[in-house]
Amino acid sequence: MTDFAPEEYRARLHRAQAMMDRAGLAALLLTTEPEVRYFTGFLTRFWESPARPWFLIVPASGDPVAVIPSIGAHLMGQSWITDIRTWRSPQPGDDGISLLRDALAEVDGPVGVPSGAETHLRMPLDTWAALQTAATFRDDAGIMHRLRLIKSDAEIDRIATICQIANAAFDRVPEVIGAGLPLSEAFRRFQILLLTEGADWVPYLAGAAGQGGYGDVISPATDAPLMDGDVLMLDTGAVKAGYFCDFDRNFAVGDVGQAAHDAHARLIEATEVGFEAAQPGATAADLFHAMDRVVTGGAGGSDAGRSGHGLGMQLTEWPSLMPADHTVLEPGMVLTLEPGIAVAPGRMLVHEENIVITADGPQWLSIPSDEHMVQL
Amino acid sequence: MTDFAPEEYRARLHRAQAMMDRAGLAALLLTTEPEVRYFTGFLTRFWESPARPWFLIVPASGDPVAVIPSIGAHLMGQSWITDIRTWRSPQPGDDGISLLRDALAEVDGPVGVPSGAETHLRMPLDTWAALQTAATFRDDAGIMHRLRLIKSDAEIDRIATICQIANAAFDRVPEVIGAGLPLSEAFRRFQILLLTEGADWVPYLAGAAGQGGYGDVISPATDAPLMDGDVLMLDTGAVKAGYFCDFDRNFAVGDVGQAAHDAHARLIEATEVGFEAAQPGATAADLFHAMDRVVTGGAGGSDAGRSGHGLGMQLTEWPSLMPADHTVLEPGMVLTLEPGIAVAPGRMLVHEENIVITADGPQWLSIPSDEHMVQL
């Protein structure tokens, strides 16, 4: 198991328990991959299968209780968790629910369930309905959100490592990608570079290519060949030891035109301004406005809805760099700076870097690009 | 957009609408990646980010309505869907909900939401609570489950393609993996093989290595080197054009001992027996029992809970090959056959193949292994 020391999990548990105490919660009930992993270290790609539910109860005092399919018992048994209760899943009609009810019966008081933005319940709705008599459920008072906003040094080390891997892969793009190559093949080769440089896997790769800019940043690759004049953008969320990077690079295929070069330089300037603004005490909105002033003169945003976000166990986490998010930056927050700029109608460029907030100010986790697009 | 012809989506819609009619539902409300993609073809790895909710309303008459973040408008605009309503997400306090309420107000009758096994609602619980006054919600009467159980010829073609790619990658394992290589590096090299052979990406790779067998099939790789006597298992869910394969191969690193070879041969025999049993009209449970008789003499299963499952847009889908699943096999169902066998306490082997049910009986989608483990 690619695990932290037990002290890391104990520290997380104690912070959670202090928050539960203040919120009047007797426990948390967790069902999703990052929530379960946050307290246990349970790291597996098996969550890709929706077949089986997984549950973790984090009580306000005492140690977590894992109520999980028996297929996970061997792996969970290697973690610091000792109270592991299993059933043979899938089990129609009672897929762990009676076991979970028994475990919840040991909890004396309301049970918090993450219910706010960027969360969901990984459990069938009919199971959730049947569970309502097992405990008094409330939202988790934002506890998981607040816990995960601040990364430990051990977490930051892991994010820094995968950022270095992605930087090395981006540096090698000119070796393997150029005019004439289908975009789909460029995507494959870049994923191979990431793995070659040490990524464990590549959960996320998006990108685009278009004459002097592209139409969006979330499309899958087509088989259309890269052409002279294309700006190629590759944006990856690669993973090492369970932690993500999330940044992109723009490449000029031949002569992309001055407008594209100017747009890129503007994005780099915006990113640098965002970085300088990323001091403890500033807000997520402050970073948005600092970058937006450079990119649009202060017009207030784009269809992306934000110009950066948190990063860690997931590709995107709280906060969002946008006018409505007043999260105050604190040491230990890991963020992406991700300004976008319109070059022409339906044609844009987006740039992204990763940073961490420290008591002394921001630090780069990705190696920041300069204003010149790398030429392919 | 890697898309099917509009007729494919129209056929899916018409089947869904006939089912809605029988179930007394005026619409379906869908929130997850495979559900939305099933009716729209909207294919993007952007779902990796939990930040934004996505909604699709499939009415009992008329065309689907997409209520989605504006960052997805360009990509959704390339699909056959014409009624696309967008908002700038994330938007705290009203993240698409008023837009969704307006769209639901156009629906005259109960709205079905997938609520059974292997489903979840991809929406914060507080949003779901706030939405309860917008419509009368019920479960979807199993409509999404029943629709997705039967694959179209176009879908089967895609699954066959990625199975061929994975077969080619497995064939090349001896070129790059052998004794002394850390398991983590074996995982990387196998993912590189999959990409090299044409996979778009590799959402799932699990595996294990151990002396004469392994402890589980869901663990991430450690850095421990492969040793003489290890059985190495690699199990992949790779994707091409949005469809998964899901099968594994066992490899013998040097001399793994007769017990491991015998166990492997038994698994191959079980898989062949399962294949022969996979006739239209047989049940998922029948396949389980057919394989279980070979593996255990009929003891009735293992900690995995099942010995195979459906496969398609997701790594695992309904049905489950297990005693409690009485799904009747029909042409168009794509299944994995995945028997496991205990070699010693805490030591097992698992073998997996992919098949499709046709009117004339089962067909292999993966190229079935013979009883001899490939030697590394």
Side-chain angles (χ1 to χ4, degrees):
Chain A
M1 194 167 215
T2 307
D3 216 350
F4 295 115
E7 294 70 32
E8 172 86 14
Y9 300 109
R10 287 244 166 253
R12 295 176 184 185
L13 177 64
H14 291 155
R15 280 198 305 277
Q17 290 178 330
M19 290 180 182
M20 278 188 256
D21 193 50
R22 285 195 295 277
L25 291 172
L28 301 176
L29 172 62
L30 307 176
T31 62
T32 69
E33 191 274 341
E35 290 162 1
V36 171
R37 176 156 57 100
Y38 185 78
F39 287 110
T40 65
F42 187 71
L43 176 63
T44 168
R45 290 167 73 167
F46 197 63
W47 293 87
E48 186 69 31
S49 166
R52 299 173 184 84
W54 302 73
F55 308 109
L56 188 75
I57 297 171
V58 181
S61 66
D63 286 348
V65 179
V67 181
I68 62 170
S70 49
I71 197 170
H74 180 261
L75 182 60
M76 188 66 86
Q78 297 169 58
S79 78
W80 76 289
I81 303 296
T82 55
D83 192 343
I84 302 168
R85 310 178 189 185
T86 67
W87 80 102
R88 281 188 181 180
S89 178
Q91 188 171 292
D94 181 14
D95 212 6
I97 295 311
S98 60
L99 205 58
L100 180 59
R101 290 184 78 98
D102 290 347
L104 287 169
E106 299 163 22
V107 174
D108 186 21
V111 175
V113 179
S115 305
E118 311 200 18
T119 73
H120 71 273
L121 184 75
R122 189 183 180 278
M123 182 192 307
L125 279 179
D126 60 9
T127 304
W128 178 233
L131 204 63
Q132 293 307 304
T133 55
T136 302
F137 294 107
R138 294 186 187 163
D139 77 61
D140 76 337
I143 288 174
M144 289 306 302
H145 173 160
R146 282 180 288 143
L147 284 172
R148 291 177 53 205
L149 267 178
I150 309 295
K151 274 71 179 174
S152 70
D153 290 345
E155 290 183 288
I156 293 165
D157 279 350
R158 292 199 181 184
I159 302 169
T161 298
I162 187 61
C163 285
Q164 288 161 12
I165 288 168
N167 264 121
F170 276 123
D171 284 348
R172 294 182 58 191
V173 163
E175 295 175 20
V176 295
I177 297 175
L181 193 74
L183 184 60
S184 55
E185 187 58 29
F187 272 41
R188 281 188 199 99
R189 291 186 182 182
F190 183 59
Q191 292 177 94
I192 289 172
L193 286 177
L194 286 161
L195 291 162
T196 303
E197 294 297 332
D200 291 338
W201 62 305
V202 187
Y204 188 70
L205 175 63
Q211 293 285 297
Y214 30 81
D216 75 47
V217 295
I218 70 167
S219 289
T222 70
D223 293 329
L226 292 171
M227 296 196 303
D228 184 73
D230 278 352
V231 177
L232 166 67
M233 186 277 289
L234 294 169
D235 179 5
T236 191
V239 163
K240 177 85 174 180
Y243 282 78
F244 277 84
C245 66
D246 180 17
F247 60 100
D248 78 1
R249 292 294 178 258
N250 289 276
F251 300 89
V253 182
D255 179 10
V256 298
Q258 194 57 43
H261 285 295
D262 290 347
H264 186 260
R266 185 74 65 89
L267 290 177
I268 300 302
E269 182 190 348
T271 308
E272 288 169 351
V273 166
F275 178 81
E276 291 304 327
Q279 305 292 332
T283 69
D286 291 340
L287 268 61
F288 172 85
H289 290 298
M291 291 189 280
D292 186 52
R293 277 191 292 273
V294 175
V295 172
T296 72
S302 73
D303 281 345
R306 60 185 185 178
S307 57
H309 52 78
L311 169 71
M313 302 173 74
Q314 288 177 290
L315 176 70
T316 77
E317 299 184 356
W318 319 270
S320 291
L321 306 189
M322 60 184 182
D325 193 327
H326 303 292
T327 303
V328 176
L329 303 190
E330 295 176 49
M333 288 188 186
V334 174
L335 300 174
T336 76
L337 301 172
E338 187 176 14
I341 191 168
V343 182
R347 207 163 292 276
M348 69 168 96
L349 263 69
V350 174
H351 179 70
E352 190 172 22
E353 302 281 2
N354 296 162
I355 67 171
V356 57
I357 312 299
T358 79
D360 299 325
Q363 289 182 2
W364 297 106
L365 292 176
S366 51
I367 301 172
S369 294
D370 70 19
E371 69 271 29
H372 304 291
M373 268 187 276
V374 170
Q375 199 74 36
L376 300 182
Chain B
M1 196 167 216
T2 306
D3 215 352
F4 294 114
E7 294 70 35
E8 171 87 11
Y9 300 110
R10 288 243 166 253
R12 296 176 184 184
L13 177 63
H14 292 155
R15 281 199 304 278
Q17 290 178 329
M19 290 179 181
M20 278 186 255
D21 193 48
R22 286 196 293 276
L25 292 173
L28 300 176
L29 173 62
L30 307 176
T31 62
T32 69
E33 191 276 338
E35 292 162 0
V36 171
R37 177 155 57 100
Y38 185 78
F39 287 110
T40 65
F42 187 71
L43 177 63
T44 169
R45 290 168 72 167
F46 197 63
W47 293 87
E48 185 70 31
S49 165
R52 299 174 184 83
W54 303 72
F55 308 108
L56 188 74
I57 297 172
V58 181
S61 66
D63 288 348
V65 180
V67 181
I68 62 171
S70 49
I71 197 169
H74 179 262
L75 182 60
M76 188 66 86
Q78 296 168 59
S79 79
W80 76 290
I81 303 297
T82 55
D83 192 343
I84 301 168
R85 309 177 189 186
T86 67
W87 81 100
R88 282 187 181 180
S89 178
Q91 188 171 290
D94 182 14
D95 212 6
I97 295 312
S98 59
L99 204 59
L100 180 59
R101 291 184 77 97
D102 290 348
L104 287 168
E106 298 162 23
V107 175
D108 186 21
V111 175
V113 179
S115 304
E118 312 201 18
T119 73
H120 70 274
L121 185 75
R122 188 183 180 278
M123 183 193 308
L125 280 179
D126 60 8
T127 304
W128 178 235
L131 204 62
Q132 293 307 306
T133 55
T136 302
F137 294 107
R138 294 186 189 163
D139 77 63
D140 77 338
I143 289 175
M144 288 308 301
H145 173 161
R146 283 181 289 143
L147 284 171
R148 291 177 53 204
L149 267 178
I150 310 295
K151 274 70 178 176
S152 69
D153 290 346
E155 289 183 289
I156 294 165
D157 280 351
R158 291 198 181 184
I159 302 169
T161 298
I162 186 63
C163 284
Q164 289 161 13
I165 288 168
N167 265 123
F170 277 123
D171 284 347
R172 293 183 59 190
V173 163
E175 295 175 20
V176 296
I177 296 175
L181 193 73
L183 184 62
S184 55
E185 187 59 25
F187 272 40
R188 279 188 200 99
R189 291 185 184 185
F190 183 61
Q191 292 177 94
I192 289 171
L193 285 177
L194 286 160
L195 291 162
T196 303
E197 293 297 331
D200 292 337
W201 62 303
V202 187
Y204 187 69
L205 175 63
Q211 293 286 299
Y214 29 83
D216 76 49
V217 295
I218 70 168
S219 287
T222 68
D223 293 329
L226 292 171
M227 297 196 303
D228 184 74
D230 278 352
V231 177
L232 166 67
M233 187 277 291
L234 295 169
D235 179 5
T236 189
V239 163
K240 178 84 172 181
Y243 282 78
F244 278 84
C245 66
D246 179 18
F247 61 99
D248 78 359
R249 291 294 177 258
N250 290 277
F251 300 90
V253 182
D255 179 8
V256 298
Q258 195 57 43
H261 285 293
D262 290 348
H264 186 260
R266 185 74 65 90
L267 290 177
I268 300 301
E269 182 191 349
T271 307
E272 287 168 353
V273 166
F275 177 81
E276 291 304 328
Q279 305 293 332
T283 67
D286 291 339
L287 267 62
F288 172 85
H289 290 299
M291 291 189 282
D292 185 52
R293 277 190 292 271
V294 175
V295 172
T296 71
S302 72
D303 282 345
R306 59 184 185 179
S307 58
H309 52 78
L311 169 69
M313 303 173 73
Q314 287 178 288
L315 175 72
T316 77
E317 300 184 357
W318 320 269
S320 290
L321 307 189
M322 61 183 183
D325 193 326
H326 304 290
T327 302
V328 176
L329 302 191
E330 294 176 49
M333 287 188 186
V334 175
L335 300 174
T336 75
L337 301 173
E338 187 177 12
I341 192 167
V343 183
R347 207 164 295 275
M348 70 169 98
L349 261 68
V350 174
H351 179 69
E352 190 172 23
E353 302 282 1
N354 296 162
I355 67 172
V356 58
I357 312 299
T358 79
D360 299 325
Q363 289 182 2
W364 298 105
L365 293 176
S366 51
I367 301 172
S369 293
D370 69 18
E371 68 270 29
H372 303 292
M373 268 188 276
V374 171
Q375 200 72 37
L376 299 183

